[in-house]
Structures are given as C-alpha cells and as structure tokens.
Amino acid sequence: MAADKVYDVVVVGAGASGGTLAAHLARAGVDVCVIEGGPAINTRTDFNTHALPYQFENRAIPTMKPGKPGFDSERSRGVGGKSLTWNAVAWRFSERDFKGRTYEGAGEDWPFHYADLAPYYSAIEREVGVCGNRDGLEDLPDGEFLPPVPMKCTDVAVMKGAAKLGVKVIHVRKATLSRPMKGRPACHFCGNCMAGCDVVAKYNSADVHLKPALKTGKLTIRPNAIVREVTVSNENRVTGVKYIDRESRREGEVRACVVVVSCACVQSVALLQMSKSRLYPDGLGNSSGHLGKHFIPHFTGGVQCFLGEFVGKTSVNDEGYLDHAYIPSFMHNRKRDYARSFGVQFNYQNRRAVGWARMVKGFGASYKQAVKERYPAFLTFAPYGEMLPGKSHVDLDPNVKDSYGLPRARRHVFYSENDIKIFKDMTKWSVEILKAAGADILAVGEEPRTNHELGGARMGADPKTSVVNQWCQSHDVKNLFVVDGAVFPSASEKNPTHTMMALAARTAERIAGELKRRSL
Amino acid sequence: MKAPRREALRIVGAISSTCAFPFAANELYAQHAGPHGESPAPPPARTQPEFFTAEEFALVSRMADLIIPATSTPGALAAGVPMYIDMVVSRNQEAQRLFRTSIAAFDLSCRARRGKPFLELDEAAQIEVLTPLCEAADAEAPSAQGRAGRKPEVALFKAVKSMTADGYYTSKAGLIDELGYSGNTVMAEFPVCTHEH
Ligand SMILES: Cc1cc2nc3c(=O)[nH]c(=O)nc-3n(C[C@H](O)[C@H](O)[C@H](O)COP(=O)(O)OP(=O)(O)OC[C@H]3O[C@@H](n4cnc5c(N)ncnc54)[C@H](O)[C@@H]3O)c2cc1C
Ligand code: SF4
C-alpha cells in the first residue's frame, strides 16, 4: 500500500457487514480498502472443521488448526469475521420489527420502512443463496429462497406438540446452499457449521463477497491491521484510520475520503470512543452524547430435554446443518403483559455435545444405560427475546487494556421489567411446548444470557438522540459511516445478520451514488 | 424457577457473549483450560498423575469406575477418565481446593462410619457409601455447584461424577462405542422424516 494513496473508502472490519459493504462498493466502481485486525484465513485448510473432542487432551476443539492464526481477539478475528463461524440463520425483519413504537408504543422506530429494505434483502438472497420455505407469515416476510432442507424427525415431534398449543413450527431459513450455486457446493450435512464450513456451502463474507470482488481490481484487503483511531481534521472531516500491525506491532495509517466502521457493534462503538479529538473529546460523532447508549443485545433462555418417543431408540446421524426448524414469534397476536416478543431456535446442538450427561441422575451401570437411552432424544430449546432500549450500555474500561495496549470494551447489561417478563414468559412457553411434545425436562435456564449484540450507535432522524441517520451516516461528520448491528434502534427477536447485510448493501449504494455526485 | 434479580447489572467484560449454548453446564470443565491450538492428534498418554497423590488417584479412579463401569462396552477406566480428571484438576485451582479438602473429609467419614478406608471396602459397601451422596447431589439444582454449606463428600461425588461423565462421553470409547455417534460425514440429501409420530 503506497503511503500517500488516498482511497475513496476505507472499511474497518471484514465481517458480515464490512465484507458485504466493501464488495458492493468495489462492484460499483469505488476504490475501496477493507482493513481487518485478524489474518487472512483459508477456510478449506485452517479451521478444525472435522475434529472430534477426543483428539484434544482437554476435549475442547480449538477454532484454528495448530499454527494457524485467527480468532484470537474481538479485534482480530480474521477476514470474514464471525460470518466464518456463524450458524447462518437468515431472517428478514418485518414492518412490525422496524416500527415497534408505532405498533405498540415500545422500543424505537427505525427511520425507514420494511419496503425500503426489501429490495436489498432480495439482492443478498440472490447473491449468497438463502434456503427456506415461503410460509406467508405477517411477521416473518418471505424472500427469494432456495428449496428448504427437510426437518429432522425430532423437529417433527416438536412441531406436533407445538401445534396442540396453536404454535407454528417452520423450516429454518439459512444462508447455506441447499443446491449448488455459483461454483459453491450444496451443504452435505456434516454438522460442523459453527466450526467453519470448509466447503463454503455456508455463507461467509471472505469467500462469497470479498474474494470474488477482488476481480474488479477496485478492492484492497489489508489483514492484520488493528485500527485504533479514526482520524478527523479541524474541518470536521474524517481523513482515514491509524492502525497497529498485529504481527510487527508497528503503527500505520490509511487515508480515505470516506471511513466506514464495521467492527461488530461493541467494537465499532469502542473504536469511535477511542477516537478522541479536539472536536470530539467524548468520542467521534458523539455530539449527541448517545454513543454507547441504547445497547440492546438479544437475550436467550433455554430448556434442555429428552423427547419421550426417541428415548431408547437407536442413535441415527441427524447432525444435519444443525437446526432445521424454528418457532417464529407468535405472541404479537396473543394477550400478554409486556411489549414485544420472542422466537425460538432449537435442536442446534450437535451430537458431539454431551455436557448434559452429568445431569442424568444416578451412577453405575443403570446410569450408563440411562445416558445411552437418552442420547438420541436430547434436545436444546433456546428462545430469543427482544430487549427494549434502556440502561444497558457500552464503554471503555479505564483500567484494563488488551494485548495491543488498547482499552477493553465493557458491556453493562441491565434487564428491565419488560425484559424479565419476556424472559419468564418465553421460558414458560418453551417448557409447555416441549411438554406437549412429550418431553421430559432436564434443565431450565434460570437467568437470561445475552446473545447477538445490537445498538450503541443507533440510527434516527433526530441528531440529538441518535448517532447516525437512515443511511448509517454520522449526524456529526458527513463522511463517516457506521454499518453493523450498532446502528439498530430496536432489535426485534430475530437473528440480525441478514438485516445487517441488507443494510450494508443499501448503504453501499448510497455511498457510491454520493461519491459520484461528489457530495461526500 | 428462581426469579432473576430485576435490573441486575452485569459487566460482561471482554468476553463476547455470543455463545452457542445457553447453559453453563455445556461448557465442559476443561474446555477453557488448555493451550490454544492443541494438535488434532490423539493426546499423549499421561502415565503419572500431576496433581493427585497416589492414594488420591486410586480413590478417584475407583469412584470413576463405580460411576461408569465396564459393561458390554468399555467403562471410565478403559477410557482413561482418571487421567482426564487429573488433567482438569491440575489446571484449575478451585477444583484443587475442592478435591484436597473433600477427599480428606470423605476419608475421615468413611473410617468413622465403616471402620476402614473406602478402598478397603468391598464393592457392595462402596456402593452403599456412594448412594446417599449421589442422591443428595441429584437433589441439588444444577446451579448449586460450588455453593457454600454443602457436605464436602457430596461436593466430591458431584465433581467426580461430572468430570467422569465429561471425560467418558467425550472419549472415543464413550462417544463412538457406547453412544454410537455417527455424524461428521457427507450426506447427499438430508432424509425426510417418515416416522409415525
Ligand atoms: C457461533 C455463532 C453463531 C451465530 N449464528 C448466527 C445466526 O445463525 N444468524 C445470525 O443472524 N447471526 C448469527 N451470529 C451472529 C453473526 O455472526 C454476527 O451478527 C455477524 O457476523 C456480525 O457481522 P459484523 O460484520 O458486524 O461483525 P463480524 O462478523 O464479527 O466482523 C467484524 C470484524 O471486525 C474486526 N474488527 C473489530 N474491531 C476491529 C478493529 N479495531 N480494527 C480492525 N478490525 C476490527 C473483527 O476482527 C471482525 O473480523 C452468530 C455468531 C456466532 C459467534
Ligand atoms: S453442515 Fe453444511 S453448511 Fe454446515 S459445515 Fe457441513 S457442509 Fe458446511
């Protein structure tokens, strides 16, 4: 990289959001550099995709093969980010998700409608391949799907139980190929998705977005560069980024006309908070004082159980591509004493996960027999709830630094009364559905745990109460953008990554257009 | 179900909370104890325990053997579970404290009630000693782990049982021979369920 080169756009973070955005920009003819803290990873060879626990003394399968760097910190996962190890569940949000305040006076409205994002959801589905069934549900819009993958036998049992309570179970929708597409093979159901899919049947941004975009000649990928600051001029324009080289620890700089921060929610917020300047002493683009606020991670509960009709059956290979079914939000049309809702992901354990065995009662030969009988019947159930914006927030730890000398990001999570009501109700429903499916309950999660991270640099029309506008553009600094979960004003209960990717595609189109009009 | 504290503050810190499973119990004891990037080859067989004394190791081995005995399939001993437990404990200070104090208490109470150390009892008597400990451990909520005020013998049984289950069912003998794990293969199509449910 020539030191004096000025790119049109520099994107920080090469995950699902940054990878999608950079590829879309390059295809639109924009000269773009994507900077990633972690190394370039060869998905074919570098992950421990097919390992089994007994190959390791501590029985834990490390993400990377020996000697292969990657996933060593939140700021240096690798080119592809968490899309390399995600589970690929891909939903469209619905109008009700975007307009919570309008519908029920809770949460925050997004500054645009479902219809504004729908074409970009379609574009992503056509580009990366999303399989699923068209179910015609109001709260879970259909898309342009590859054929769905059949449900597991155990899913069908849950479906029958849920039906007794009027609750619908549908095929999961995943950014995983059920048919070969664009040189990528169809999934072969080895059950290793979260260990890194080595054939790229499952979407990851490095292989599906970034590598093909290199052919445009417009894309530069700079791995191993941990960005520590986005620089801003006295004329209130960002000028580029300063980084620390992951290997040599030397400092470097990349200059660009536009800077996009896509470091995965909390790290995006942290990077802006680290970027202090004369103009922005409290963090870049934080004249509102709202940077770091309105952190709204999903929270999960969980039930572990044994499905009665499978106890004592011969164990079969039903790893599949982990979860094959889903319970979409069904509370919106039911009477309840809280706002918003939850959905349920289930049966996504794989059969290498045997941590439940210690909870089976007894010891001796009868205990051994009891575990064996229950093995084909084990199932996890994990409802995901929507957290309303409240007191949860993100800040920098004043005392603790990471191994690069950068402040550690802290998550402060407060559960509001509404959150706790959702948590209790989704736990109650989970147990009831499983009991209706003939399950013997093994354990019920007693406390909510956070999951997908969202919020912290929310979008909105009002610069006094939000950090970016509907184009993910900083209210304060015109040529600064934040594109990832951090901008979500409200979370919905649905896995968020498809929405991040659609948002990245929409923002890329906007940035490319504005650059052409020379209005950035 | 215990109601979670309202408005409880949790500083999650640097650990990303995107965890695949909502249960702490699914994180096997040793999962975070090893060096990053161990070789995906069968680990070198340890011959000597690192943490346990010879007497302690004999006791833990016997308990593991009684918890998962050999039947028509191998049991905990053939699967190398005692060395697995030693490896886990040698890397975990909290577990070290638990084992040191509870083994001593267990030994004292055995001598007091049975007049002999555990290892000198016959199998039927050993099972009699463990049965009430197992019942007490089974009656505890999963979250009771490590709670103060439990009988040390119960804590010992629970720790040995948990580690025996973890070690055995993640071993080749446990996962493949006993449970019949058959995943991690290539399938052309995922089969449609044709069961009568
Ligand atoms: C096991 C697992 C399963 C999941 N399953 C699903 C699912 O089924 N469905 C779903 O919707 N979501 C799922 N997710 C979440 C999903 O992976 C994330 O929502 C998504 O990857 C976020 O995209 P992102 O680009 O914002 O962040 P990431 O994909 O995490 O990418 C951010 C990148 O930025 C880099 N970075 C951070 N800070 C810096 C810095 N200062 N300088 C340089 N680089 C930096 C990181 O190294 C990283 O590579 C799952 C996540 C995990 C871990
Ligand atoms: S199950 Fe399919 S998507 Fe998952 S790792 Fe195997 S081939 Fe890839």
Side-chain angles (χ1 to χ4, degrees):
Chain A
M1 266 185 307
D4 51 357
K5 162 133 193 171
V6 180
Y7 290 93
D8 292 338
V9 179
V10 58
V11 180
V12 187
S17 310
T20 303
L21 182 98
H24 278 244
L25 285 173
R27 278 161 19 197
V30 175
D31 196 13
V32 54
C33 175
V34 49
I35 299 202
E36 162 61 44
I41 289 173
N42 183 337
T43 41
R44 239 162 247 294
T45 55
D46 296 1
F47 286 115
N48 262 322
T49 308
H50 293 277
L52 288 164
Y54 48 79
Q55 295 168 319
F56 306 89
E57 193 183 12
N58 69 355
R59 310 296 164 82
I61 302 170
T63 308
M64 309 308 299
K65 286 224 177 102
K68 302 289 183 188
F71 285 77
D72 55 356
S73 87
E74 278 184 34
R75 290 167 179 153
S76 54
R77 291 188 198 275
V79 176
K82 290 197 294 288
S83 73
L84 293 164
T85 58
W86 76 320
N87 185 25
V89 172
W91 315 118
R92 294 179 176 219
F93 282 13
S94 69
E95 182 69 359
R96 202 197 294 268
D97 296 318
F98 291 113
K99 298 291 175 190
R101 179 155 292 275
T102 305
Y103 271 77
E104 40 181 325
E108 255 345 292
D109 281 354
W110 290 54
F112 57 72
H113 293 272
Y114 170 69
D116 296 312
L117 204 57
Y120 302 94
Y121 279 127
S122 294
I124 296 294
E125 284 154 6
R126 283 195 297 265
E127 227 167 86
V128 312
V130 173
C131 63
N133 189 47
R134 296 178 61 88
D135 296 295
L137 301 172
E138 183 199 343
D139 279 325
L140 192 62
D142 290 333
E144 301 184 24
F145 300 142
L146 298 171
V149 170
M151 287 185 198
K152 301 181 183 184
C153 296
T154 39
D155 297 329
V156 176
V158 172
M159 181 163 75
K160 299 223 163 125
K164 292 182 197 156
L165 305 175
V167 173
K168 205 173 163 99
V169 173
I170 64 166
H171 289 270
V172 76
R173 300 171 186 174
K174 285 195 178 185
T176 299
L177 301 184
S178 58
R179 296 287 178 274
M181 190 178 124
K182 299 185 186 170
R184 292 162 55 204
C187 170
H188 56 241
F189 308 111
C190 67
N192 293 304
C193 316
M194 290 194 266
C197 176
D198 58 353
V199 298
V200 199
K202 184 192 75 171
Y203 169 84
N204 76 68
S205 66
D207 291 299
V208 180
H209 269 131
L210 290 171
K211 274 180 205 156
L214 285 172
K215 289 194 206 91
T216 61
K218 290 287 182 184
L219 174 66
T220 306
I221 303 174
R222 171 62 164 101
N224 298 315
I226 298 167
V227 174
R228 48 170 302 207
E229 185 182 346
V230 179
T231 49
V232 62
S233 72
N234 286 335
E235 290 74 48
N236 193 27
R237 291 183 58 78
V238 287
T239 52
V241 298
K242 288 187 174 157
Y243 65 81
I244 303 167
D245 188 285
R246 191 181 66 84
E247 292 157 318
S248 71
R249 308 270 160 154
R250 271 202 285 274
E251 302 250 342
E253 199 166 353
V254 175
R255 295 197 294 149
C257 303
V258 173
V259 175
V260 183
V261 176
S262 296
C263 299
C265 186
V266 167
Q267 290 305 334
S268 288
V269 171
L271 178 56
L272 296 176
Q273 288 172 333
M274 286 191 281
S275 303
K276 293 194 165 79
S277 59
R278 192 181 56 77
L279 284 181
Y280 297 102
D282 301 322
L284 184 57
N286 188 22
S287 71
S288 65
H290 280 252
L291 181 65
K293 292 190 178 163
H294 318 293
F295 181 49
I296 43 171
H298 284 153
F299 55 87
T300 66
V303 181
Q304 295 182 319
C305 71
F306 304 111
L307 285 175
E309 64 178 284
F310 295 89
V311 174
K313 293 270 155 60
T314 321
S315 96
V316 295
N317 176 12
D318 65 351
E319 300 281 78
Y321 65 166
L322 305 177
D323 44 343
H324 288 216
Y326 180 71
I327 300 181
S329 147
F330 54 88
M331 288 311 293
H332 282 304
N333 299 317
R334 293 187 191 232
K335 208 168 118 43
R336 63 201 197 281
D337 65 348
Y338 54 83
R340 311 311 287 162
S341 185
F342 60 87
V344 187
Q345 252 188 291
F346 64 98
N347 223 350
Y348 59 90
Q349 74 289 340
N350 67 27
R351 300 229 175 268
R352 264 161 281 177
V354 289
W356 52 270
R358 59 160 89 153
M359 285 190 276
V360 174
K361 295 191 159 125
F363 72 101
S366 61
Y367 163 77
K368 193 178 171 189
Q369 185 62 24
V371 171
K372 188 180 167 74
E373 283 175 355
R374 281 160 183 75
Y375 181 62
F378 178 74
L379 185 127
T380 44
F381 215 69
Y384 284 61
E386 171 170 351
M387 183 183 283
L388 291 178
K391 290 190 202 160
S392 299
H393 64 276
V394 173
D395 67 8
L396 299 177
D397 194 317
N399 303 312
V400 183
K401 304 243 186 297
D402 70 7
S403 63
Y404 302 95
L406 303 178
R408 191 179 76 147
R410 291 191 300 195
R411 291 111 166 133
H412 302 261
V413 176
F414 297 81
Y415 291 101
S416 71
E417 206 165 316
N418 197 75
D419 301 332
I420 294 300
K421 280 182 177 165
I422 294 184
F423 175 74
K424 283 188 178 163
D425 201 42
M426 72 190 197
T427 301
K428 185 183 124 233
W429 271 102
S430 298
V431 170
E432 279 173 13
I433 291 169
L434 289 170
K435 285 196 170 152
D440 179 13
I441 307 293
L442 175 69
V444 179
E446 292 177 357
E447 296 217 354
R449 287 183 155 212
T450 59
N451 200 287
H452 306 118
E453 295 184 331
L454 303 163
R458 74 175 177 191
M459 62 161 68
D462 184 354
K464 286 203 261 331
T465 58
S466 58
V467 177
V468 298
N469 66 19
Q470 66 151 318
W471 304 106
C472 300
Q473 180 179 32
S474 161
H475 286 302
D476 290 343
V477 188
K478 214 174 155 190
N479 62 336
L480 170 68
F481 292 76
V482 181
V483 183
D484 62 22
V487 305
F488 284 31
S490 54
S492 147
E493 77 293 339
K494 300 178 180 75
N495 310 51
T497 310
H498 192 12
T499 298
M500 295 177 201
M501 291 165 70
L503 203 56
R506 181 174 187 259
T507 306
E509 190 179 282
R510 172 78 176 185
I511 292 175
E514 295 285 282
L515 282 171
K516 247 180 225 135
R517 285 188 286 279
R518 303 192 166 278
S519 53
L520 278 176
Chain B
M1 198 178 78
K2 196 180 90 223
R5 273 170 303 149
R6 256 173 216 181
E7 301 252 321
L9 165 65
R10 267 152 242 176
I11 298 180
V12 187
I15 301 144
S16 169
S17 48
T18 323
C19 165
F21 293 99
F23 285 98
N26 269 337
E27 291 154 19
L28 304 183
Y29 271 110
Q31 208 124 53
H32 307 289
H36 190 69
E38 278 186 62
S39 142
R46 290 176 172 227
T47 49
Q48 286 294 317
E50 231 173 73
F51 171 74
F52 292 120
T53 63
E55 297 79 54
E56 288 170 338
F57 191 66
L59 175 69
V60 167
S61 301
R62 182 64 188 140
M63 286 175 82
D65 185 24
L66 289 166
I67 290 167
I68 303 185
T71 50
S72 57
T73 54
L77 294 185
V81 164
M83 280 299 175
Y84 168 81
I85 297 178
D86 179 70
M87 183 275 301
V88 172
V89 178
S90 69
R91 293 177 186 183
N92 181 327
Q93 290 195 349
E94 204 182 315
Q96 290 174 13
R97 276 192 295 276
L98 185 149
F99 274 87
R100 278 277 135 79
T101 53
S102 66
I103 286 179
F106 178 76
D107 188 48
L108 275 179
S109 90
C110 231
R111 286 172 198 268
R113 288 189 200 174
R114 303 267 164 174
K116 275 187 202 171
F118 185 74
L119 289 175
E120 287 172 25
L121 300 172
D122 64 21
E123 177 157 328
Q126 288 177 333
I127 290 173
E128 267 176 45
V129 171
L130 295 188
T131 301
L133 303 183
C134 181
E135 280 164 5
D138 286 345
E140 285 180 352
S143 56
Q145 215 137 34
R147 195 176 289 166
R150 313 154 79 200
K151 270 175 79 179
E153 299 93 308
V154 176
L156 175 67
F157 180 84
K158 190 156 189 168
V160 176
K161 177 177 165 182
S162 298
M163 292 180 191
T164 300
D166 287 1
Y168 180 69
Y169 292 110
T170 53
S171 73
K172 195 165 182 201
L175 188 63
I176 311 283
D177 301 346
E178 168 69 2
L179 296 179
Y181 171 76
S182 58
N184 203 15
T185 58
V186 173
M187 276 182 165
E189 293 280 338
F190 193 81
V192 177
C193 168
T194 50
H195 279 133
E196 277 293 319
H197 282 276

